[in-house]
Amino acid sequence: MPTLKELARRPNPLTGGHSACAGCGFPQAVRLVLMSIEEPVVVAGATGCMEVTTTTYPNTAWTVPFIHNAFENAGATISGVEAAYRALRRRGKIDREIRFVAFGGDGGTYDIGLQSLSGAMERGHRFLYVCYDNQAYMNTGIQRSSATPYGASTTTSPAGEAVPGKIQRRKDLTAIMAAHGIPYVAQSTIAHWQDLTRKVKRAMEVDGPAFINVLAPCRLGWGTDPAMTIRVAELAAETCAWPLYEVDHGQWRVTYVPKQKLPVEEYLRPQERFRHVFQDKSGQLLAAIQRDVDEQWEALLAKAGQSVDGKAAARA
C-alpha cells in the first residue's frame, strides 16, 4: 500500500480549477481511488455533480481518459469498454494492462443506474465501480434518494410538522452488491485514506468486478462548514453510522472498529439537514436514529463474526 508521500508524488488524475463547491467530498474520493492504481486507467462517469463540475465544455479537469455517459448507464459503458479491450488484447492490438473504473453518485448508482450496474456485475466484467455517496440528488436540487438516511431533511423530504424528514431507512447498496457474489465489495470514506487506498488495491487484484461505496459529504446538501468535510466523514465511522467493511470472495470483515463508539448525535449535530432532530424536545427521533444505527452495526459485526474489539467472535 502506498504511503501518503508516495501518493502525493503520483500524477494528479483530477486537476484543480474544476467548479465543485468548496469542501466538496467527491474530488478527494476520485484522487484517492485513481492515485492508488499504478496501471493506466480509463474512467467512465455518470452524469452528476462530478461530471458537471469537471467537464464544462470546452474544458476538462481530467488528466486520464474520461467517458461521460448518461445518468443511468455508467455500468454498461465501462463494461462495454472493458469488453472491447479484452477483444483487442486477444487480437494482439493491445499488449499492456489497463484498468477500468466507473464513478457515479448515489442517484446514478443506488437508483437510476442500479439496473445497468447490476447487469455489469452479473456478467463478470473486470472493472471497479466507485459510488461517491453524498446521500441525495445534490446536483439537481438536494432531492432525497434511496441513499438518504432516515430523518434527513431534503427538498423532497422536508422536515416539518407532518414528517420528520425522510421516513425510510437508506438502502444498503453495499450489501446488495455483495449479494451479487462478485469477488470484492467494500465500504469506506474519504477521511480514511489508508483504508480506502488498501481497498482499491485489493479491488485491482481480483479477477472480476469490484464495488466500493465511499461516503463523500456534500457541504451544500448536508449544511456543513466546508472546513468540516473530512471531520464529518470521520464521525460517520466513529459513530458507526457508516461502517467500514469489506466482503472479499464472500468473507465479511469489518475494517475499522472505533476504540470508543460515539453517540450518533456527534455525527448529526454539525449537519443542518438534521437540525430538526435536536429541536424535537421528546428526543424520540434521535433515539430512533441511534437505535437503527446500533441494530445495523451489531448485525454487521455478527455477519463478519467479529466482536466490538475487532477480534473474531465465538460462534454458537
Side-chain angles (χ1 to χ4, degrees), residues 175-228:
I176 292 172
M177 288 294 104
H180 283 69
I182 61 178
Y184 189 73
V185 173
Q187 190 161 285
S188 191
T189 83
I190 60 170
H192 297 78
W193 71 269
Q194 290 177 308
D195 180 84
L196 179 53
T197 55
R198 185 191 64 78
K199 287 171 177 174
V200 173
K201 183 178 184 296
R202 180 58 183 147
M204 292 296 103
E205 292 171 345
V206 301
D207 185 14
F211 175 86
I212 301 179
N213 204 357
V214 183
L215 187 68
C218 171
R219 53 85 42 212
L220 182 64
W222 292 22
T224 53
D225 184 331
M228 284 284 291

Side-chain angles (χ1 to χ4, degrees), residues 43-46 67-84 86 100-103 108-109 112-123 125 127-129:
V43 174
I67 308 167
H68 168 221
N69 48 257
F71 220 149
E72 69 274 10
N73 64 339
T77 298
I78 202 67
S79 61
V81 176
E82 187 269 347
R86 285 189 286 110
F100 302 91
V101 180
F103 288 97
T109 307
I112 300 173
L114 182 60
Q115 181 180 19
S116 173
L117 174 60
S118 178
M121 294 297 182
E122 184 272 334
R123 290 191 299 272
H125 296 277
F127 73 99
L128 168 62
Y129 191 105

Side-chain angles (χ1 to χ4, degrees), residues 125-140:
H125 296 277
R126 188 175 183 181
F127 73 99
L128 168 62
Y129 191 105
V130 178
C131 176
Y132 61 96
D133 192 343
N134 53 35
Q135 300 191 328
Y137 287 87
M138 301 305 183
N139 181 52
T140 55

Side-chain angles (χ1 to χ4, degrees), residues 136-158:
Y137 287 87
M138 301 305 183
N139 181 52
T140 55
I142 316 175
Q143 299 93 345
R144 58 89 83 193
S145 74
S146 63
T148 306
Y150 171 72
S153 182
T154 72
T155 55
T156 52
S157 62

Side-chain angles (χ1 to χ4, degrees), residues 151 159 164 239 263-287 289-290:
T239 59
V264 74
E265 67 178 282
E266 297 293 324
Y267 169 59
L268 304 183
R269 196 173 290 279
Q271 305 178 52
E272 284 291 318
R273 62 177 180 161
F274 289 109
R275 179 176 56 183
H276 59 285
V277 171
F278 301 98
Q279 296 172 342
D280 173 22
K281 295 181 180 179
S282 71
Q284 292 183 359
L285 182 53
L286 179 59
I289 295 173
Q290 183 68 70

